[in-house]
Amino acid sequence: MSGPPPAFARAGYQVVASLTATSPEAAAEGAARAALSACGRAPWVLQAFTPDTPRGNALAPFAESLEAAVAARLPSARRVEDAQRAREAGAMLVSLCVAPDGVTVVGAVSAREAVSLAPGGRRRMRRASDAPSRAAMKLEEALDGLAFEPGRGDVCADLGAAPGGWTQRLVSRGAKVVAVDPARLMPELTGHARVKHVQESAFSYAPDEPVDWLFCDMAWRPLEVAQLLAKWGRRGWAQHLVANIKLPMKDKNPILLRVRHTLTQEGGWEGLTVRQLYHDRDEVTVTAHKLK
C-alpha cells in the first residue's frame, strides 16, 4: 500500500475468498484452502472477527470455533502464535470475517503492512478501576501499537493533563511526568514523587529542558493543537509524540490534511501516523518521533 494508511480505517486486507458454505466443516475447508493459497510458503498468523454490529457480535462463538478449525488445517510448523511477533517473522496475517447470513470473507495482508494487528482492528483495552475517565484507554491503545513505550527513567510532558488519566498511566509504567494544566489533578497524583504539576496553560508552557515523550489530549481546536505540537517538534523539546486531536463534526479530511502538514512541514516530526483508534470518538491519535 502506497502512502499513509487511511486515518479512519480499522484494518485492511486483500480479499482472497468470499464463502457461503452450508456447514461449519465446509466453511473451514474453504477458508483453509484460501489461506494456504494466500500464504504460500510464508509463516502465518490467523485471526477471526465479526462485524462490529449487534448481529455480527452474536456470531462471535462461531468465529472462534471457525478459527480453531481452520488453524487445524494449516501447516503448524509455519504458524506464528503471537500477532505482535508476526511482523518480525515476515508472516502473513490471515483474517476470517464471519458476517451474518452465512458469509465468511477470507482476507490476507503482510503483517508488516497491516493497518492493525488486532482482529478486525478492534483493540479493546480494559479501563482500570482507578482511572478517572475513559481517556486512559485511548492512551493504552496508542501505546500498544508502538514498537516501544515510555518506561522507568523516561521523562514525559503531559499537556492538558487534568484530571490526570494519561499521567496516571504513564506513572504506572515508571515514568516521570510533567503534568501541565491550570486545573487540579486527581488526589492520588497530587504530591506524587514522579509527578510535577505545572499549573499554567499548555500554550504558554516551555520546558526547562527537553523531555523524552510529549503527550497531549486536550479538548481544543485541532489546528491550534497541531501548531502547539509543531512548536515542540521545531524546538526539539521532545523526541517522541503521542497526541489526540479532536475533529469537527464535518469536513474532517481537510482538517487532517492541514494537521499532517503542520506537524511534518512546520514541526519536523517524522514517522507520523494518524489513525482513529477503536477507543477514539470524533478524534484521531497521532504518533511521531524526532531523530537526534
Side-chain angles (χ1 to χ4, degrees):
M1 180 174 61
S2 60
F8 300 107
R10 284 188 183 172
Y13 312 92
Q14 179 181 358
V15 175
V16 295
S18 182
L19 309 172
T20 53
T22 57
S23 69
E25 293 77 12
E29 288 290 344
R33 286 195 298 270
L36 283 171
S37 174
C39 292
R41 296 181 178 275
W44 56 272
V45 61
L46 182 68
Q47 297 176 336
F49 66 96
T50 64
D52 192 7
T53 64
R55 289 185 69 201
N57 290 330
L59 297 171
F62 175 71
E64 185 177 351
S65 63
L66 179 64
E67 179 180 335
V70 173
R73 289 167 167 80
L74 299 180
S76 59
R78 298 204 303 270
R79 181 173 186 171
V80 178
E81 296 286 347
D82 182 7
Q84 297 297 331
R85 294 182 53 245
R87 284 179 175 152
E88 301 172 12
M92 291 296 294
L93 178 60
V94 180
S95 290
L96 311 175
C97 177
V98 178
D101 303 320
V103 175
T104 297
V105 178
V106 184
V109 64
S110 168
R112 291 173 177 167
E113 299 177 0
V115 174
S116 171
L117 292 178
R122 297 165 68 181
R123 185 68 177 96
R124 293 185 178 92
M125 313 304 294
R126 292 184 178 181
R127 178 173 174 177
S129 59
D130 57 348
S133 69
R134 57 174 295 275
M137 295 188 293
K138 297 187 296 183
L139 176 63
E140 295 289 349
E141 186 181 3
L143 294 178
D144 184 71
L146 296 178
F148 59 95
E149 60 187 47
R152 191 168 303 279
D154 285 342
V155 178
C156 308
D158 183 8
L159 305 184
W166 284 26
T167 293
Q168 179 194 52
R169 304 317 303 157
L170 296 171
V171 167
S172 72
R173 287 169 160 79
K176 300 177 181 178
V177 182
V178 180
V180 183
D181 200 302
R184 293 181 179 180
L185 299 179
M186 54 195 296
E188 72 175 74
L189 295 175
T190 302
H192 193 290
R194 284 185 277 110
V195 176
K196 177 182 178 182
H197 185 195
V198 178
Q199 290 187 273
E200 64 177 80
S201 167
F203 292 95
S204 61
Y205 171 73
D208 295 329
E209 56 185 22
V211 299
D212 300 299
W213 293 80
L214 171 62
F215 292 90
C216 179
D217 182 25
M218 296 194 302
W220 204 261
R221 290 180 286 272
L223 296 181
E224 293 183 24
V225 173
Q227 290 164 0
L228 171 62
L229 303 177
K231 179 175 72 173
W232 276 71
R234 186 169 57 251
R235 298 185 180 181
W237 286 349
Q239 188 176 357
H240 304 284
L241 168 67
V242 177
N244 201 257
I245 304 289
K246 316 302 177 185
L247 297 176
M249 294 299 294
K250 298 181 180 179
D251 299 325
K252 291 181 171 61
N253 285 319
I255 291 294
L256 284 184
L257 289 174
R258 295 177 66 182
V259 167
R260 286 182 184 273
H261 182 273
T262 299
L263 294 177
T264 57
Q265 302 303 311
E266 299 179 23
W269 288 106
E270 303 169 24
L272 182 72
T273 69
V274 180
R275 288 195 59 211
Q276 185 178 51
L277 302 181
Y278 180 74
H279 291 289
D280 286 338
R281 291 179 178 171
D282 286 319
E283 54 201 350
V284 291
T285 296
V286 302
T287 66
H289 61 264
K290 292 279 289 188
L291 297 178
K292 292 183 178 180

